[in-house]
Amino acid sequence: MLALEERGLRLSLANGDLAYFNYYWLRDNCTSAWDESTQERIYDILEEPDDLKPKTAQIDASTLTIEWPDGHQSRYDLAWLARWHYPNGQVCMGHGDLAQRKRQPWYADHYSQIKRFSFPELIEQPAQVADWTEALLDEGIALLTEMPNSNEGLQQACELIGVVRSSFSGYTFDVRTEANPVNLAYTNKALELHTDLPPEELAPGIQFLHCRVNDAIGGESLFVDACSVAQAFKAQYPDYFNLLTTLKVPFRYTTNFQDVRARQVIIELDPYNGEVSGIHFSQHLADVFDFPPEVMDAFYPAFRKFGQMLQDPKYLMRFRLNAGECIVFDNHRVVHGRSAFVAGSGARHLRGCYVDRNEMRSTYRVLRAKYPKGEAE
Ligand code: OGA
Ligand code: ZN
């Protein structure tokens, strides 16, 4: 069946669904709208009249053919159109996007199951980089082993999945005890569970922490899957959850020469499907909260309850990071911290940096398309 309506047409798909497509959308996505070499759209929908409607439309076998009033002909493969159909009016964006994968929640006992990748193998085998980025999409965390004891090694690892993203901590940063620390991380104190750098306008995406030396007593690494926690939080405290997904909370980082501020939601939702995609959480970088009284009264119970749930041992994965390992995690999804270590008990040095999540997703799409799962290179 094919029916031309006022602003769009209706047609039956192979699965029997009746699908609707707007005329401007159809014209905008004619196969001739794209530049063959750059794959960018070179067609300008703004030039069309206000009442665009096909002169004729017909379906032959698996193709919809439209002739437009200016004489241009467009042909659409019905299987391709079916990908953009919204069944029962439900929202489904990201059609055909390999990087839209189901997040796999994990809990305190996850350490033995963290996906591990040997750095020399990653360098040699791009299919393993596809598996590594898939682990980052699914679980938000992976462990690199056999890392060289060099700055270059960390940079090379980052460049397998994207470009190093600078932040107010620099291009890379070194976590070790300093005489005059600008940051709690550079002391031997415990670091509360946090996500890094919410005062950035866009908090960094994928975080690398490369352990170069860890001979200190204490200083265990702490990681929590904030998506697991936020799911439980949503079920138990829906009103608190709604507040923390909408209220923009101020964060701030200051030194003698920096004053970086941004407002972020505590719980971040995935724009594609509304699921929890991450959080912004850092008590040491939270600015003075500046909400009106009634919002303040609602905020603190929600914030405190969520922070307490993050600390619940049920979710807290705790382990020792060893020299030669690099933990790589989604800094929005995975909350991290460390226990205090004994000053003077031994050297401890982690070198860190970031790559944004979109770079990683792009790498995943390209590599997974090239190296489908389960197939050898
Ligand atoms: C940091 C941090 C973890 C550690 O520097 O932000 O979380 O184990 N460090 O020192
Ligand atoms: Zn941190």
Side-chain angles (χ1 to χ4, degrees):
M1 115 72 159
L2 173 65
L4 300 193
E5 298 183 359
E6 177 76 13
R7 296 181 193 193
L9 55 77
R10 251 170 239 285
L11 54 77
S12 321
L13 296 172
N15 68 358
D17 272 13
L18 201 55
Y20 177 82
F21 298 101
N22 171 277
Y23 294 138
Y24 287 99
W25 183 90
L26 284 164
R27 183 64 189 87
D28 214 13
N29 292 295
C30 173
T31 50
S32 67
W34 309 93
D35 182 77
E36 277 183 22
S37 118
T38 67
Q39 298 177 48
E40 288 170 282
R41 187 184 277 103
I42 47 171
Y43 164 75
D44 183 2
I45 196 74
L46 309 184
E47 300 277 311
E48 293 295 340
D50 288 343
D51 55 353
L52 181 66
K53 200 170 173 180
K55 202 156 101 191
T56 63
Q58 64 186 68
I59 294 177
D60 300 300
S62 60
T63 308
L64 165 71
T65 306
I66 293 181
E67 189 182 335
W68 300 99
D70 63 3
H72 182 82
Q73 227 187 46
S74 303
R75 291 162 64 79
Y76 308 86
D77 179 24
L78 291 184
W80 182 82
L81 282 178
R83 277 175 40 190
W84 305 95
H85 163 52
Y86 281 47
N88 310 320
Q90 94 201 20
V91 178
C92 51
M93 292 189 276
H95 306 249
D97 178 357
L98 292 175
Q100 288 301 318
R101 297 176 56 83
K102 192 103 199 98
R103 294 179 183 84
Q104 311 290 333
W106 50 264
Y107 301 88
D109 60 355
H110 189 59
Y111 180 63
S112 63
Q113 294 144 54
I114 293 182
K115 302 276 187 317
R116 288 160 167 82
F117 299 90
S118 134
F119 173 80
E121 285 182 24
L122 285 174
I123 295 288
E124 296 294 321
Q125 300 174 25
Q128 288 226 19
V129 179
D131 292 345
W132 170 29
T133 45
E134 189 167 290
L136 291 174
L137 289 168
D138 293 358
E139 297 175 8
I141 194 161
L143 189 67
L144 306 190
T145 58
E146 297 175 76
M147 286 286 292
N149 185 16
S150 70
N151 294 351
E152 291 71 30
L154 176 60
Q155 179 157 349
Q156 255 184 305
C158 290
E159 289 175 353
L160 288 172
I161 65 169
V163 292
V164 175
R165 179 232 146 122
S166 296
S167 70
F168 61 69
S169 300
Y171 184 71
T172 57
F173 53 91
D174 289 285
V175 185
R176 57 185 156 200
T177 316
E178 290 181 3
N180 296 303
V182 293
N183 187 319
L184 269 180
Y186 308 155
T187 68
N188 67 327
K189 296 194 175 81
L191 282 181
E192 294 286 317
L193 288 169
H194 65 281
T195 57
D196 268 16
L197 316 196
E200 288 278 359
E201 188 170 16
L202 172 66
I206 303 297
Q207 175 160 186
F208 290 67
L209 282 175
H210 177 196
C211 182
R212 301 284 287 272
V213 189
N214 192 2
D215 297 332
I217 295 171
E220 277 190 311
S221 296
L222 313 174
F223 291 93
V224 169
D225 180 3
C227 285
S228 296
V229 179
Q231 277 317 322
F233 184 68
K234 181 181 181 179
Q236 263 180 280
Y237 306 100
D239 294 343
Y240 289 173
F241 179 84
N242 286 339
L243 182 65
L244 297 189
T245 57
T246 48
L247 185 67
K248 299 271 190 169
V249 173
F251 291 94
R252 183 175 183 192
Y253 176 77
T254 47
T255 63
N256 288 339
F257 58 97
Q258 288 162 301
D259 184 349
V260 188
R261 309 182 196 198
R263 300 185 82 94
Q264 313 283 3
V265 286
I266 300 282
I267 301 178
E268 167 198 90
L269 300 181
D270 185 330
Y272 282 97
N273 55 22
E275 286 177 8
V276 175
S277 58
I279 69 168
H280 297 96
F281 198 91
S282 174
Q283 294 203 68
H284 49 269
L285 295 181
D287 200 354
V288 178
F289 299 138
D290 53 359
F291 314 125
E294 61 284 6
V295 178
M296 200 72 87
D297 285 351
F299 172 75
Y300 268 107
F303 178 71
R304 281 170 35 82
K305 189 55 77 182
F306 184 58
Q308 286 160 356
M309 272 183 86
L310 281 176
Q311 293 173 346
D312 185 332
K314 174 176 165 192
Y315 300 105
L316 186 64
M317 175 170 69
R318 174 188 279 266
F319 61 91
R320 188 175 181 82
L321 201 59
N322 301 305
E325 292 176 338
C326 180
I327 188 83
V328 185
F329 56 97
D330 181 337
N331 176 54
H332 289 234
R333 170 170 171 181
V334 176
V335 195
H336 66 284
R338 71 153 189 249
S339 62
F341 55 95
V342 179
S345 61
R348 184 178 190 276
H349 175 200
L350 308 186
R351 189 173 173 89
C353 62
Y354 312 101
V355 170
D356 273 332
R357 289 190 293 186
N358 233 19
E359 298 275 337
M360 178 275 290
R361 294 186 190 113
S362 159
T363 302
Y364 175 73
R365 292 183 190 108
V366 171
L367 290 180
R368 184 49 88 218
K370 208 163 160 191
Y371 304 102
K373 209 155 180 183
E375 286 180 25
E377 275 165 66

